[in-house]
Amino acid sequence: MSELTAEQRDIRELARRFADERIAPNAGRWDREHRFPRELYDEMGELGLMGVCVPEAYGGAGADYFAYVLVLEELSRADASVGVTLAVHLGAGMLPILNWATDEQKQRYVPPLASGQELCAFALTEPEVGSDASSLRARVVDGRITGTKQWVTNGSYASTFTVFAREHDVGVSAFLVRRDAEGFSVTREEEKMGLNASSTADLALDAVPGERLGPPGAGMRIALSTLDSGRIGIGAQAVGIAQAALELATSYAKERHAFGGPIGRFQAIQHKLADMQTEIEAARALVWRAARIKDAGLPHTVEGAQAKLFASRVARFQTGEALQVLGGYGYTKEFPAERYYRDAKVTEIYEGTSEIQRLVIAQALLGEVTRA
Amino acid sequence: MKICVLVKEVPDAAVEKRMDPNTKRLDRSGEKNLNPFDTHAIEAAMQIRESGALDVDEIVAVTMGPASAFRALHKAVSLGADRSIHLTDEALAGSDVCATGYALARVLEAESPDLVLLGQQSDDGECYTIGAVVADHLKMPSLTQVIKIDVQDAGLRCERQAEYGYDTVDVELPAVISVGDAINEPRYPSLKAIMGAKKKPLDTRSTGDVGIDAGQVGADGSQVQCGSFKAPPQKSAGTIIEDEDTNETVEKIMAWLDERKLI
């Protein structure tokens, strides 16, 4: 029995085939060369993959969030850097525009993003402001934003940025900022442990003109609701990375011989692979559940947090187990196991650390007691 | 001109195929997909249209199959067909190749295509013959296992795969051509095309709609009778020679061949 509709299977098949043919063969090289494959996103745009769940009226493919999650998993299976680039472009970048912008703003901003012609980014984090996002320091005066933003995914390549800044008397507000705006600069590209084919940049904003997104003072609501659904996307990314590690370890266990036979005949290896597959299926089920609840228009804060918390832990732990199955080869650059291992770790950190996910879950579970 | 592409819903490649001992037919339960060979036929039609060498007004996907087979048509449309026709009727169940070819020919006759394309084989039955049967009924020339199609003045010049190499055959239109998977690399269906497939016209036809003689189709109208069947004999495991020292490997291979009096 299939858990997916024929249309969902076709969408997954498209993403899978594209990932296998266009991404996976290059992922190792992009990682080594720290190369952001900009041209790939044009190609993905033509296929509708850059605007999976964007309404057709704004140039998207008009599919739902669940379809987007299927696409994210498949792309991340081939290259987690491509996964995070799309997750931030669409999930963190475009969805808040679709949810909060005026129709005129959407008409202007969204079509070039949905087609992959331009990329989108989300600028919330600052050097001293991470999990405690509400204490951010960027300021806006007379519609001009001044401050610094850190670790902005797609930062070096995006054209449109959703920037959060503090506004006198009203609190944090959200603004749309164009890359070519006066006073805008990308100051540095971060060197990271993994996700080397993605861009993570710092921004300096010096009285940059921004266009208001949503009502004044709604910044934290916009940011937190974006992260609510963004977590489901990162959960899907984590599942994709773990799935890639499982497939690698499984085929290696069939081919690698030791002590006179394939290592897959050893129970120590069998148990690792069995646990790996079981946990990945459980993680996928949580991610799919959260996506379906979101598509139904229901609150999904807790479900998204659970999906991300669990899937990221599975990805971090099981990529290590896959590497262990490959033994010494796993530790070399000859196999992608080490890339999966490096890429997986960040899923426990960004879009809300695992500690924050537990906080979200516990607060919903215990209510007022957690604030006592 | 109009190109009709015959397509079929088959068990997904990942599903292990088995005969159902009760019905003596292939067990077609489980996940299904569009026959991969047919995706090459659709792509061939698209490339003829896009080349501009022929003025193709319409590409129509046609299938015969149970209710679920509309999904193969959706997929065909997402790959470029403009509309589709689904021939479905209880009376057709159990049709063999001859009966299926006859029924499909009746649908095609009503469409008057200038060219009929199809995959050279289906991933399930693997008969390779439906194109020829359809062509016979339509009184059109038939070419099979084609891996290259070029448009020329009076018709098409096709390369056809043969045991000894390639035949180059000129064919006048209308014609029925079955294509191999070497003919092209099917494009990615865009996400919009997948989402929009349901909205493209899909006509459902029953046997009565296209004048199919019910006595010539279905299990009763089919000539093929399945007596008994068995699994093919297991292949022997073979010998793997690891190439550690090439001289030694060559010696081992020579010895192996020599032992069997093959050289």
Side-chain angles (χ1 to χ4, degrees):
Chain A
M1 193 197 83
S2 174
E3 299 165 83
L4 301 177
T5 66
E7 189 177 85
Q8 287 164 344
R9 281 174 48 213
D10 285 347
I11 292 170
R12 185 170 66 171
E13 193 180 299
L14 164 66
R16 184 173 286 175
R17 191 179 146 208
F18 184 83
D20 285 344
E21 294 176 359
R22 312 292 302 163
I23 302 175
N26 303 307
R29 181 170 53 83
W30 292 337
D31 174 63
R32 278 193 302 281
E33 295 174 0
H34 289 228
R35 194 169 95 67
F36 184 87
R38 180 63 186 86
E39 67 290 347
L40 182 79
Y41 301 107
D42 291 327
E43 214 177 324
M44 280 171 53
E46 277 169 31
L47 293 174
L49 297 174
M50 297 303 277
V52 181
C53 53
V54 174
E56 281 183 87
Y58 302 112
D64 56 12
Y65 196 85
F66 187 83
Y68 162 66
V69 157
L70 293 176
V71 168
L72 259 188
E73 182 191 327
E74 289 303 326
L75 299 178
S76 302
R77 190 176 53 81
D79 188 339
S81 291
V82 174
V84 73
T85 302
L86 177 63
V88 170
H89 167 74
L90 209 174
M94 294 168 75
L95 291 189
I97 301 179
L98 287 165
N99 290 336
W100 296 86
T102 64
D103 188 57
E104 185 277 325
Q105 283 178 315
K106 288 186 217 175
Q107 293 288 359
R108 202 152 31 91
Y109 282 98
V110 178
L113 296 169
S115 70
Q117 199 186 324
E118 291 184 358
L119 293 177
C120 202
F122 179 82
L124 175 66
T125 300
E126 298 179 1
E128 313 249 335
V129 182
S131 294
D132 55 341
S134 60
S135 61
L136 60 84
R137 292 177 181 183
R139 308 221 160 246
V140 59
V141 179
D142 297 333
R144 288 184 172 262
I145 307 158
T146 298
T148 53
K149 292 290 174 183
Q150 186 167 279
W151 299 332
V152 178
T153 302
N154 297 344
S156 293
Y157 298 88
S159 301
T160 295
F161 295 77
T162 303
V163 177
F164 296 87
R166 188 169 300 285
E167 197 168 14
H168 187 60
D169 283 346
V170 298
V172 175
S173 299
F175 298 88
L176 293 170
V177 170
R178 293 287 293 174
R179 168 182 210 86
D180 52 11
E182 188 191 349
F184 179 97
S185 56
V186 176
T187 49
R188 66 187 274 270
E189 179 67 36
E190 192 64 66
E191 202 169 322
K192 310 183 291 282
M193 172 180 172
L195 296 184
N196 289 330
S198 74
S199 164
T200 310
D202 292 355
L203 312 179
L205 306 164
D206 182 10
V208 177
E211 199 176 312
R212 190 176 289 288
L213 175 67
M220 286 319 292
R221 246 192 309 154
I222 296 175
L224 294 178
S225 68
T226 302
L227 294 172
D228 264 1
S229 56
R231 285 172 190 144
I232 308 172
I234 298 307
Q237 184 203 25
V239 172
I241 301 170
Q243 179 68 34
L246 169 67
E247 287 170 16
L248 174 65
T250 306
S251 68
Y252 189 86
K254 289 179 186 168
E255 285 163 17
R256 168 72 179 183
H257 283 60
F259 303 101
I263 60 169
R265 77 188 196 289
F266 297 125
Q267 247 182 16
I269 302 292
Q270 291 169 5
H271 285 188
K272 271 193 206 307
L273 296 174
D275 284 348
M276 206 181 288
Q277 188 182 41
T278 305
E279 288 190 17
I280 291 169
E281 288 297 350
R284 184 177 290 122
L286 283 178
V287 169
W288 285 12
R289 172 170 178 263
R292 284 176 167 140
I293 291 172
K294 175 175 162 52
D295 276 332
L298 299 168
H300 51 274
T301 305
V302 171
E303 290 79 3
Q306 289 168 337
K308 182 184 182 285
L309 173 66
F310 188 76
S312 61
R313 191 174 58 186
V314 167
R316 194 256 303 147
F317 178 72
Q318 295 299 0
T319 53
E321 291 293 274
L323 196 153
Q324 190 71 18
V325 170
L326 270 72
Y329 281 112
Y331 198 68
T332 70
K333 300 261 176 186
E334 198 177 326
F335 288 88
E338 59 84 31
R339 171 163 60 88
Y340 302 149
Y341 187 65
R342 285 184 286 114
D343 287 350
K345 178 59 205 174
V346 76
T347 63
E348 289 187 316
I349 300 170
Y350 61 17
E351 301 258 345
T353 60
S354 293
E355 291 71 20
I356 291 291
Q357 308 309 329
R358 290 189 177 93
L359 186 80
V360 167
I361 298 162
Q363 278 178 350
L365 191 63
L366 298 165
E368 283 306 313
V369 172
T370 57
R371 289 178 202 93
Chain B
M1 68 176 283
K2 184 193 283 186
I3 302 177
C4 284
V5 183
L6 295 177
V7 300
K8 186 179 185 187
E9 185 188 51
V10 296
D12 191 85
V15 176
E16 201 175 327
K17 294 172 191 64
R18 60 176 280 275
M19 295 292 284
D20 182 332
N22 297 320
T23 62
K24 294 183 176 175
R25 290 185 211 152
L26 190 70
D27 175 4
R28 289 189 169 87
S29 59
E31 288 206 357
K32 297 179 194 67
N33 211 330
L34 172 61
N35 178 31
F37 286 89
D38 298 340
T39 63
H40 295 272
I42 297 162
E43 180 63 29
M46 292 296 286
Q47 289 186 10
I48 291 172
R49 167 147 77 184
E50 286 164 358
S51 74
L54 288 173
D55 196 7
V56 179
D57 303 307
E58 207 180 20
I59 298 171
V60 186
V62 179
T63 198
M64 171 177 133
S68 67
F70 74 88
R71 290 184 303 224
L73 293 173
H74 280 172
K75 195 138 191 197
V77 163
S78 75
L79 287 164
D82 301 297
R83 66 182 174 91
S84 57
I85 301 172
H86 184 186
L87 174 63
T88 185
D89 202 311
E90 284 294 321
L92 295 164
S95 293
D96 64 8
V97 172
C98 285
T100 304
Y102 158 71
L104 285 169
R106 289 283 83 82
V107 177
L108 291 168
E109 236 167 32
E111 286 290 317
S112 314
D114 301 279
L115 176 62
V116 178
L117 293 171
L118 67 155
Q120 68 179 21
Q121 74 211 72
S122 65
D123 218 23
D124 53 355
E126 306 230 24
C127 288
Y128 288 72
T129 44
I130 205 84
V133 178
V134 166
D136 190 46
H137 283 286
L138 295 176
K139 306 282 179 270
M140 288 182 190
S142 161
L143 274 183
T144 55
Q145 288 166 270
V146 167
I147 47 104
K148 191 164 189 279
I149 298 177
D150 286 316
V151 177
Q152 32 171 56
D153 308 334
L156 304 175
R157 172 160 290 183
C158 300
E159 264 181 36
R160 144 168 221 284
Q161 227 160 12
E163 289 76 14
Y164 44 82
Y166 299 101
D167 286 330
T168 302
V169 186
D170 289 347
V171 63
E172 281 180 20
L173 297 179
V176 180
I177 296 177
S178 76
V179 303
D181 55 359
I183 191 167
N184 54 39
E185 186 57 40
R187 68 196 59 196
Y188 297 111
S190 79
L191 203 49
K192 277 183 201 174
I194 293 172
M195 301 295 297
K198 305 192 275 289
K199 295 174 204 149
K200 293 234 189 141
L202 190 162
D203 295 315
T204 303
R205 301 256 194 279
S206 65
T207 50
D209 295 336
V210 286
I212 291 170
D213 172 3
Q216 292 189 50
V217 294
D220 292 342
S222 293
Q223 308 294 311
V224 172
Q225 299 294 328
C226 179
S228 69
F229 54 86
K230 54 180 190 285
Q234 289 265 328
K235 280 188 187 167
S236 60
T239 313
I240 294 170
I241 300 171
E242 296 272 351
D243 183 23
E244 277 156 10
D245 175 325
T246 305
N247 288 335
E248 229 172 80
T249 304
V250 170
E251 262 173 44
K252 281 181 193 164
I253 294 171
M254 294 298 285
W256 189 91
L257 291 168
D258 198 37
E259 221 171 85
R260 285 157 185 78
K261 306 264 179 279
L262 294 168
I263 43 171

